[in-house]
Amino acid sequence: MSSIIQLLPDHVANQIAAGEVVQRPASVVKELLENAVDAKATDIKLIIKDAGKSLIQVIDNGIGMSITDSRLCFERHATSKIRKAEDLFLLHTKGFRGEALASIAAIAHVELKTKQDQDELGTHIIIEGSKFISQEPTVLPKGTSFTVKNLFFNIPARRNFLKSETVELRHIIDEFQRVALAHPNIYFTMYHNGGEHFNLPQANLRQRIVSVFAGKTNEKLVPVQEDTEIVTINGFVGKPEFSKRNRGEQFFFVNDRYIKSGYLHHAVMAAYEGLLAVGSQPTYYLYLKVPPNSIDINIHPTKTEIKFDDEHALYAILRSAIKHSLGQFSVAPVLDFDRDPNLDTPYEYKNATANYPKVEVDQSYNPFYNEKQNQNTSANSSYRKLENNSNWESLYVGLKQDTEEIAKFSFENDECTASLFDEKEEEQTKNRTYQIHKKYIVSPIKSGMVIMDQSRAHQRILYEKFLTNMTVRQASSQQLLFPLELHFSQNDLELISDLKTSLENTGFVFEPSKNSTILISGIPVNTTESEISIVLDQLVSDLNDGIPESSFSQNDSIAKSMAKSLAVKTGTYLTEGAQENLVNNLFACKEPNVSPFQKPTFITMRVEDIDKKFAL
């Protein structure tokens, strides 16, 4: 009987490993940038074409590789970072598994140019799908250049699963930003389709953050500094008034490695307790230094998750450090037990005696001196009143006759108009709607009553309104006296620019802008200026996973996001007129039964159902 289990060929094993290492072009960018950092480079360039589908090139001025190393680096499990198993717990570098370059070479056309400082000539290697095409010496500057072309050329099914160019570029920018923020001492530049996206010279940590996110980032930052035996914390957190709806600008770095940690994020949120609105997220850029033997970074393929030895102590230190920084810079109230010098007694009055008030009495005062004169005056005034009121009956002569004529005239000319409704109907038309707990609206109907969720109902109304405006392209705008200036990161600007046409169909009017700002001179009708930032932040957050390709899907996504942002929220008091208007507009919609997110907007209760409740 023949054997069933067989060893896979190297190129097949590399393609399988590539499915775990290389998920999209951003994965290649991450691995190549980290290798350049480990090579002790001080200048790194990233060149992208077609969001990495056609070209990904990383050029650095690091230490380079020898002829032997340049060939071995494409072998599986070949690495310069570790020698034995114990080294996994003493890592100071980025990549260490030795699968990245082998996996990339298995699914793309790779070109490597590298040279060490002491060598006269460098090495030029070309690989296509794990096959070595050529290797030759050439004249090169010090450093390494990796060029990856035609990603997934031999796995077309995997290439078809890639998102649009905008989405893939956004993932690449995310990886680039993470590496750039972790190493402010390195000069980073990024180019896409010939245009410069980032130019980040060497700087301190605060300058690097401002350079990456631009805008008014500098005024948002509150420094955080804490040094303990367990962890050293350094970085910045954002002021509460600059919080956002999405979790975009939130970064944890442990030993200069970007990580994701829900546990540490909870510690940050606990430090902001009572300072943030419901649903808001703070920005933070926190750098943690811990002993390498106290963490395990080999628990996730992308090494973005880390296991800590003492998570509870780390949680408490991080939370208290952020609380202290927010209080120290007067962002949050703090308890101050210091004596206020303003309450002290002034020096010149310290030993002075008090001046007691003096009481003076007028001994010549006689309260009964004018009593007799006052009595005579009151008698005279009473006499005048009686004299003036003696003819009081003459004031009413002819009054009865005039009253009868006026009454007769009014009855003859007034017409009695019948009421439009009976008394019972008039009573029913009053208080047609009721609001319960500032969340539900109750309206009676013939068969019983309707209970409506005010937030979901308003979402449906706004959703159909925005969708109609974008389809017909006849949206109305209200012009602003002064253009509204909003600041966004490069990622968000790319997203908003792709949706600019659809947003204009809802009522937005954009002005030409520069750098990382957006100028808005017109906004949709019935929208306040203060809501625009919330609407755009929510839109960016909702579309963070990808922009739909078709225009209808884009319009649908924008209408849903704007309806969710602008709809009346639970806990908002509505007047009777607003309640009735909401009810009438909902049942005028094409699909009043469900919200844009397919949740019921109202329920009905019949009188029979209510009777059954009382019959129990």
Side-chain angles (χ1 to χ4, degrees):
M1 184 176 180
S2 61
S3 301
I4 298 176
I5 299 176
Q6 299 179 0
L7 291 176
L8 290 174
D10 288 341
H11 69 280
V12 177
N14 288 336
Q15 288 187 6
I16 295 174
E20 181 178 295
V21 177
V22 184
Q23 300 175 354
R24 56 187 354 134
S27 304
V28 178
V29 172
K30 175 181 180 296
E31 298 292 344
L32 296 183
L33 287 178
E34 289 182 347
N35 286 342
V37 172
D38 288 339
K40 301 178 181 179
T42 59
D43 189 347
I44 300 176
K45 293 182 176 64
L46 173 62
I47 303 173
I48 302 294
K49 286 186 179 179
D50 300 329
K53 299 176 184 179
S54 301
L55 172 68
I56 300 174
Q57 185 177 11
V58 175
I59 305 172
D60 68 71
N61 63 346
I63 59 176
M65 289 183 286
S66 64
I67 298 177
T68 304
D69 290 342
S70 61
R71 186 68 180 259
L72 283 176
C73 69
F74 291 102
E75 299 294 332
R76 294 191 66 201
H77 306 300
T79 178
S80 61
K81 315 298 172 57
I82 57 176
R83 291 290 183 267
K84 53 185 181 297
E86 288 76 8
D87 293 339
L88 290 173
F89 300 96
L90 297 171
L91 287 171
H92 295 276
T93 57
K94 305 291 184 183
F96 56 87
R97 294 189 174 206
E99 296 178 346
L101 296 182
S103 301
I104 295 170
I107 55 174
H109 297 165
V110 178
E111 186 176 350
L112 169 63
K113 297 179 180 179
T114 182
K115 174 184 173 296
Q116 291 182 324
D117 193 20
Q118 67 272 16
D119 296 336
E120 294 183 359
L121 296 176
T123 305
H124 183 197
I125 296 178
I126 298 177
I127 303 176
E128 296 180 359
S130 295
K131 296 180 181 179
F132 279 83
I133 304 300
S134 65
Q135 177 177 348
E136 57 186 14
T138 184
V139 177
L140 296 170
K142 172 196 171 185
T144 304
S145 171
F146 267 101
T147 303
V148 179
K149 300 178 181 178
N150 304 323
L151 194 64
F152 299 122
F153 79 99
N154 53 356
I155 312 179
R158 189 69 177 274
R159 189 179 180 90
N160 292 335
F161 273 98
L162 293 178
K163 302 285 186 179
S164 65
E165 183 174 322
T166 304
V167 176
E168 296 300 338
L169 177 62
R170 191 165 68 253
H171 285 287
I172 291 174
I173 292 176
D174 286 341
E175 296 295 345
F176 178 83
Q177 290 177 345
R178 292 165 183 172
V179 178
L181 289 173
H183 303 278
N185 59 327
I186 300 178
Y187 195 131
F188 284 94
T189 51
M190 175 181 171
Y191 302 89
H192 180 246
N193 291 339
E196 185 180 82
H197 265 241
F198 290 97
N199 190 338
L200 309 175
Q202 296 179 354
N204 57 36
L205 185 56
R206 191 185 193 104
Q207 293 172 339
R208 175 55 56 89
I209 294 173
V210 174
S211 299
V212 171
F213 295 101
K216 297 183 178 180
T217 305
N218 189 37
E219 63 186 60
K220 305 177 185 177
L221 302 179
V222 176
V224 178
Q225 180 70 44
E226 189 67 37
D227 191 1
T228 64
E229 296 180 357
I230 299 176
V231 61
T232 299
I233 301 174
N234 185 28
F236 299 90
V237 294
K239 296 179 181 178
E241 59 265 29
F242 294 103
S243 60
K244 295 185 176 181
R245 292 286 177 178
N246 59 343
R247 297 178 58 175
E249 299 177 18
Q250 296 180 345
F251 296 90
F252 281 115
F253 298 94
V254 176
N255 295 351
D256 294 333
R257 183 190 299 274
Y258 171 79
I259 68 162
K260 297 178 181 178
S261 176
Y263 189 71
L264 296 182
H265 174 74
H266 191 275
V268 176
M269 296 300 293
Y272 277 91
E273 185 178 2
L275 299 176
L276 296 176
V278 178
S280 298
Q281 294 287 335
T283 59
Y284 53 80
Y285 316 87
L286 297 172
Y287 298 75
L288 284 67
K289 294 286 186 182
V290 297
N293 58 357
S294 66
I295 57 174
D296 184 5
I297 61 178
N298 198 25
I299 62 173
H300 194 273
T302 60
K303 301 179 284 293
T304 56
E305 295 182 9
I306 290 181
K307 183 175 177 58
F308 298 93
D309 284 351
D310 195 350
E311 287 186 338
H312 297 290
L314 194 62
Y315 181 100
I317 294 172
L318 180 61
R319 175 175 170 270
S320 61
I322 296 175
K323 263 186 170 297
H324 175 72
S325 295
L326 293 176
Q328 183 180 5
F329 290 91
S330 301
V331 177
V334 294
L335 293 176
D336 188 3
F337 296 102
D338 293 337
R339 180 175 53 84
D340 188 356
N342 294 326
L343 301 179
D344 292 344
T345 304
Y347 179 78
E348 59 270 18
Y349 294 103
K350 187 174 183 181
N351 298 321
T353 58
N355 295 327
Y356 296 97
K358 296 180 179 180
V359 180
E360 296 181 358
V361 179
D362 186 4
Q363 298 180 355
S364 63
Y365 176 70
N366 184 4
F368 303 101
Y369 178 75
N370 295 326
E371 182 178 3
K372 184 176 181 180
Q373 184 178 359
N374 291 336
Q375 288 178 355
N376 295 332
T377 303
S378 62
N380 294 333
S381 61
S382 300
Y383 173 76
R384 293 192 190 96
K385 289 181 180 180
L386 292 174
E387 184 180 4
N388 293 334
N389 294 337
S390 59
N391 299 327
W392 64 271
E393 293 181 355
S394 62
L395 298 174
Y396 297 95
V397 175
L399 181 61
K400 182 177 182 182
Q401 182 179 358
D402 294 339
T403 305
E404 291 178 355
E405 291 178 357
I406 293 173
K408 181 179 180 181
F409 176 79
S410 61
F411 286 134
E412 288 178 354
N413 290 277
D414 289 347
E415 296 181 1
C416 183
T417 305
S419 176
L420 294 176
F421 304 99
D422 295 336
E423 292 183 0
K424 293 183 178 180
E425 292 180 351
E426 288 181 354
E427 292 178 358
Q428 292 178 357
T429 56
K430 296 179 180 178
N431 299 330
R432 294 287 296 179
T433 58
Y434 306 90
Q435 189 180 28
I436 300 178
H437 294 297
K438 297 181 182 179
K439 183 177 183 180
Y440 300 108
I441 297 175
V442 179
S443 178
I445 56 177
K446 291 182 179 180
S447 60
M449 62 179 176
V450 173
I451 304 177
M452 181 185 303
D453 188 306
Q454 64 184 33
S455 180
R456 294 181 183 177
H458 200 203
Q459 287 179 9
R460 164 54 63 177
I461 296 169
L462 294 177
Y463 168 72
E464 293 197 3
K465 174 186 174 183
F466 289 134
L467 203 58
T468 302
N469 291 340
M470 285 186 285
T471 304
V472 181
R473 299 184 179 181
Q474 293 182 350
S476 300
S477 299
Q478 51 182 346
Q479 297 299 312
L480 300 177
L481 184 59
F482 300 101
L484 179 63
E485 183 177 347
L486 299 177
H487 298 267
F488 290 94
S489 63
Q490 189 67 28
N491 252 0
D492 298 342
L493 285 175
E494 293 283 343
L495 181 63
I496 295 175
S497 62
D498 291 336
L499 302 174
K500 186 176 180 180
T501 303
S502 299
L503 290 173
E504 287 175 344
N505 292 333
T506 64
F508 283 94
V509 179
F510 294 94
E511 296 291 333
S513 56
K514 298 179 181 179
N515 299 329
S516 60
T517 61
I518 291 179
L519 292 178
I520 300 175
S521 60
I523 58 178
V525 179
N526 298 328
T527 305
T528 61
E529 187 174 344
S530 60
E531 294 174 328
I532 298 303
S533 177
I534 300 175
V535 170
L536 293 181
D537 285 341
Q538 184 67 52
L539 179 63
V540 170
S541 177
D542 292 341
L543 299 179
N544 196 32
D545 294 333
I547 304 175
E549 297 294 336
S550 64
S551 60
F552 175 78
S553 299
Q554 287 186 16
N555 294 341
D556 183 71
S557 300
I558 294 173
K560 286 181 179 178
S561 179
M562 292 182 63
K564 181 168 63 175
S565 301
L566 297 175
V568 61
K569 301 298 186 291
T570 298
T572 304
Y573 170 76
L574 298 179
T575 62
E576 292 184 7
Q579 297 171 27
E580 293 181 4
N581 189 34
L582 193 65
V583 174
N584 296 334
N585 288 336
L586 175 64
F587 289 105
C589 293
K590 295 180 179 179
E591 296 183 10
N593 297 327
V594 292
S595 71
F597 305 97
Q598 302 304 312
K599 295 181 179 180
T601 57
F602 67 89
I603 59 172
T604 57
M605 291 189 66
R606 300 180 303 169
V607 177
E608 293 80 359
D609 298 332
I610 301 175
D611 292 339
K612 291 179 181 178
K613 297 290 184 180
F614 286 98
L616 296 177

